[in-house]
Amino acid sequence: MNIVILDLEWNGSYSRRLKHFINEIIEFGAVKCDEQLRVIDTFSVLVRPLVGKKISSKIETLTSITNERLQEGVQFTQAMSLFKKWLGGDVLLMTWGTSDILALIENCRYYYGSDTIPFLTDYVDMQRYIQDRTGVGHARQLGLAPAAELLQIKLDGVSHHNALDDSLLSLACLEKVYSPETLHPFIEDGRLKRFYDKITFKTTYICDMDSPLVQRTDFVFECGRCGSRAKRTEPWKLRNKSFRAVFACPACGSRFMAQVQLKQKYEGVIVKKKMVPIVEKQSYVRMDNMNYSLPAGVGLLTFEALDRVDFIRHGFSTRVGGISSGMFSTMNLSFGRGDEQENVEENYRRMCSALDVDPMLLVAGKQDHHTGIRRVTAADGGRGIWKPKFEGSIDGLCTDDPGVTLVVYCADCVPLYFVDPVHKAIGLAHAGWRGTAAGMAREMIRTMAREFGTQPKDLIAAIGPSIGPDHFEVDPPCAQEFLGLPESERFVRDDGNGKFHVDLWECNRQFMLAEGVPEDRISVGGVCTVCHSDLLFSHRATGGNRGGMAAFLTIRNVLVDTILRPSQEEQA
């Protein structure tokens, strides 16, 4: 039996007949191979939309499919006929996840009045199969691109969200883990009613504790410190689709926030239970040249020099204090690595609570290891977190707008903090090795000078946690990028064996010094992500199997203080 890997692209179109939106398919892409995964043929066709006459700008940007190109496509029914003929009989159909199958069902229902797919016989959810084969498990959904990265497949030349390219990338992933014996248990019969009942079942959250599906044992907790049965000290409250209450241990006295989330799936009720320790008194621990604390139970690294600046708040996240699990445990702040979106969103809310900042005023850029910098304002609040990212390369952000919290993602790359106490302006940058060598520190200083009138001599700068000099071993081509820089002998070490070690902290510090930032106003955290991979996510230490951290920097919103405490002129 041949194997066909199918990928679809679709556009959300409003149907006046149905009075709701449907995912209207606009492109088919597929690759056919034999049981040894040798490619036999490929299939690609654009589908001219009939429900929605134009595709959204977001989909156009994502897929590079224009409305003009779609006018040259065929109607959905013609595309289905062409694809069925191309299949050439019974095949084993695979898709990455079930969303493409759901889109097919939705389109077949609209155009044919049928809830079944005419050519579907045997089916495999490739995403589920590969997650099982790689040991990732099924607690979360792994995207195609992260899976390819996990399997060390190069993405050069691949147009993501091009249906044919995505089907070929799926095949490349399959080739890494495939064997007929391991695939067989994942094959489902796509002709059975049970298959459609299962795949179209909509997962819901149980938000009523009196539901007959709820078991009281789901709300029993044992102390994570001593193992004794804990007692609830307040009523259960429903928040963000989770039941929450404070528990106390009568044996050891520890307290924790208990969380219970109940999901009703086709297979039954899935229960997720979490315990978050309540830190009664905020404590600080010195970690290299930074302070480690647990505000609201969230692990946070800060600089003493920046803590002394009264008009800002700042911090660098750790793995402590979130709700994610597995390799994302627990404070994962990266949306694109396979963690459940709701977990990442809750982690951001907890981080904002610990920092005492407005979650809706977080702003992040589209980082791609260059030196692009953007000035942002409160109008940009939510971009890159709750709203789509800015277009274009942005590895640095700056602002003088109170309340806006700048965010950059890191997991071995260097976060750079800049504070101008004279003009009340801030800058935050992500500097990987490419950005460091290209002078991200210099570019931020010059950008702040243009935007706010910042003088380098007034800046307070800090260099955050990243891969340290003892672990950043590089080959000669990478080393050459640094050897051509001034003072390179201070941050490049030739090991004499064809390898080099680079000190990214010192390289960034040299750029700051060269721009005129005083030496005593630059703090180097000295915290290595590889050395502390139990507390921090490290890409190199985990081979890419990790979550993401973030650096935060904000100007405190003093509007309330201004209202409560009038100026001297107003008092007069």
Side-chain angles (χ1 to χ4, degrees):
M1 180 184 292
N2 290 332
I3 295 172
V4 169
I5 301 172
L6 172 66
D7 187 84
L8 303 171
E9 302 297 337
W10 61 79
N11 177 60
S13 301
Y14 183 77
S15 168
R16 294 186 178 181
R17 171 161 61 90
L18 301 178
K19 292 183 172 56
H20 63 72
F21 282 88
I22 70 167
N23 291 319
E24 186 175 17
I25 295 171
I26 58 173
E27 185 181 26
F28 280 68
V31 55
K32 183 193 299 181
C33 51
D34 60 20
E35 291 187 1
Q36 285 73 47
L37 302 187
R38 293 175 297 215
V39 175
I40 299 171
D41 198 5
T42 60
F43 179 88
S44 179
V45 66
L46 291 176
V47 182
R48 186 168 67 251
L50 297 179
V51 181
K53 300 303 181 183
K54 292 184 178 181
I55 61 174
S56 70
S57 57
K58 179 180 178 181
I59 297 299
E60 186 173 342
T61 301
L62 193 67
T63 64
S64 298
I65 299 174
T66 64
N67 288 294
E68 290 73 22
R69 286 183 60 203
L70 284 178
Q71 293 309 307
E72 301 172 2
V74 301
Q75 294 184 6
F76 175 77
T77 53
Q78 293 174 287
M80 289 284 284
S81 297
L82 291 170
F83 184 66
K84 185 176 181 180
K85 181 178 180 181
W86 177 81
L87 288 177
D90 290 345
V91 297
L92 175 58
L93 186 71
M94 296 185 179
T95 62
W96 190 271
T98 59
S99 56
D100 285 339
I101 294 297
L102 290 170
L104 270 174
I105 293 171
E106 190 173 25
N107 282 255
C108 286
R109 183 185 300 128
Y110 184 86
Y111 287 103
Y112 300 136
S114 171
D115 288 332
T116 61
I117 301 169
F119 52 74
L120 185 60
T121 53
D122 293 320
Y123 171 75
V124 168
D125 177 352
M126 189 189 302
Q127 181 187 57
R128 184 167 174 269
Y129 172 65
I130 288 180
Q131 289 190 189
D132 183 85
R133 293 286 288 152
T134 55
V136 172
H138 308 296
R140 63 190 183 281
Q141 292 186 335
L142 189 64
L144 178 56
E149 183 179 349
L150 176 64
L151 294 167
Q152 298 183 338
I153 297 171
K154 293 184 178 180
L155 300 178
D156 299 341
V158 176
S159 298
H160 198 36
H161 294 293
N162 171 281
L164 179 56
D165 275 8
D166 280 352
S167 67
L168 292 169
L169 181 58
S170 299
L171 174 59
C173 292
L174 182 63
E175 290 171 337
K176 293 283 187 176
V177 301
Y178 170 76
S179 69
E181 309 81 48
T182 59
L183 184 67
H184 183 75
F186 290 84
I187 299 176
E188 300 180 73
D189 191 338
R191 292 161 293 196
L192 300 178
K193 180 179 182 297
R194 182 175 66 250
F195 171 81
Y196 288 95
D197 288 343
K198 177 182 176 181
I199 207 165
T200 57
F201 186 88
K202 291 185 178 180
T203 298
T204 58
Y205 291 90
I206 299 174
C207 298
D208 180 5
M209 291 187 68
D210 294 326
S211 167
L213 298 173
V214 173
Q215 298 183 14
R216 292 300 166 185
T217 54
D218 295 334
F219 295 85
V220 175
F221 283 82
E222 294 180 349
C223 175
R225 179 182 296 174
C226 70
S228 301
R229 181 163 175 171
K231 292 185 177 180
R232 181 166 50 85
T233 61
E234 67 178 23
W236 287 102
K237 297 177 182 178
L238 184 65
R239 181 182 175 191
N240 295 328
K241 300 176 183 177
S242 294
F243 296 100
R244 306 185 184 198
V246 173
F247 276 67
C249 177
C252 68
S254 63
R255 299 172 70 239
F256 60 88
M257 175 67 73
Q259 299 179 16
V260 180
Q261 186 181 77
L262 304 166
K263 281 185 181 180
Q264 185 177 358
K265 294 192 172 185
Y266 180 80
E267 298 84 358
V269 177
I270 307 299
V271 182
K272 287 186 177 181
K273 301 172 71 172
K274 302 281 186 181
M275 295 191 302
V276 181
I278 296 175
V279 181
E280 303 297 342
K281 183 178 180 181
Q282 191 179 95
S283 59
Y284 292 87
V285 176
R286 193 67 175 168
M287 186 172 172
D288 296 301
N289 299 323
M290 300 185 74
N291 287 330
Y292 175 64
S293 62
L294 287 164
V298 174
L300 203 63
L301 286 165
T302 57
F303 294 91
E304 280 191 4
L306 298 186
D307 282 335
R308 291 194 292 267
V309 182
D310 60 2
F311 74 91
I312 68 162
R313 290 190 179 94
H314 81 289
F316 187 83
S317 71
T318 67
R319 300 183 65 162
V320 177
I323 66 169
S324 300
S325 59
M327 69 181 185
F328 304 111
S329 178
T330 59
M331 182 55 77
N332 170 43
L333 297 174
S334 176
F335 285 103
R337 304 201 66 83
D339 195 3
E340 293 185 20
Q341 180 168 324
E342 61 197 45
N343 288 348
V344 183
E345 291 177 349
E346 175 60 18
N347 289 342
Y348 270 106
R349 283 188 282 268
R350 292 185 177 208
M351 181 58 64
C352 290
S353 177
L355 289 166
D356 193 21
V357 299
D358 186 346
M360 299 313 297
L361 290 180
L362 298 176
V363 181
K366 184 178 181 181
Q367 299 174 190
D368 63 358
H369 298 273
H370 290 89
T371 59
I373 299 170
R374 184 185 181 101
R375 179 177 181 174
V376 297
T377 68
D380 300 310
R383 295 295 293 268
I385 308 293
W386 317 109
K387 301 176 184 178
K389 294 179 180 179
F390 299 107
E391 292 299 323
S393 168
I394 301 172
D395 281 78
L397 300 163
C398 61
T399 190
D400 61 353
D401 203 347
V404 176
T405 299
L406 310 181
V407 183
V408 299
Y409 312 111
C410 299
D412 286 346
C413 296
V414 189
L416 303 175
Y417 299 76
F418 301 83
V419 177
D420 178 356
V422 175
H423 298 89
K424 297 291 192 295
I426 57 174
L428 187 64
H430 159 265
W433 74 260
R434 290 184 178 87
T436 295
M440 171 54 91
R442 175 189 62 215
E443 295 307 311
M444 179 60 78
I445 293 168
R446 294 180 180 180
T447 298
M448 292 182 69
R450 288 194 303 271
E451 295 290 338
F452 314 116
T454 297
Q455 296 294 315
K457 65 181 179 63
D458 297 325
L459 277 172
I460 302 171
I463 300 169
S466 74
I467 187 169
D470 291 336
H471 289 96
F472 191 44
E473 183 185 70
V474 301
D475 292 327
C478 178
Q480 288 300 322
E481 298 291 326
F482 294 92
L483 288 169
L485 298 174
E487 307 291 338
S488 63
E489 68 277 2
R490 296 179 180 272
F491 47 82
V492 181
R493 185 182 79 220
D494 188 343
D495 297 335
N497 59 356
K499 299 289 186 179
F500 297 78
H501 277 77
V502 176
D503 185 342
L504 296 176
W505 302 332
E506 182 60 23
C507 183
N508 280 291
R509 195 178 80 95
Q510 288 299 321
F511 270 112
M512 293 176 183
L513 291 171
E515 289 299 304
V517 181
E519 186 172 8
D520 62 354
R521 296 173 76 87
I522 303 173
S523 299
V524 180
V527 177
C528 174
T529 48
V530 177
C531 293
H532 300 287
S533 58
D534 56 337
L535 181 68
L536 305 171
F537 292 115
S538 169
H539 189 86
R540 182 164 291 204
T542 61
N545 302 321
R546 48 86 181 172
M549 301 172 295
F552 299 85
L553 183 59
T554 186
I555 300 173
R556 295 176 59 194
N557 195 333
V558 296
L559 179 60
V560 175
D561 294 337
T562 303
I563 294 172
L564 295 177
R565 291 191 292 274
S567 66
Q568 292 181 354
E569 290 81 358
E570 290 172 324
Q571 290 177 333

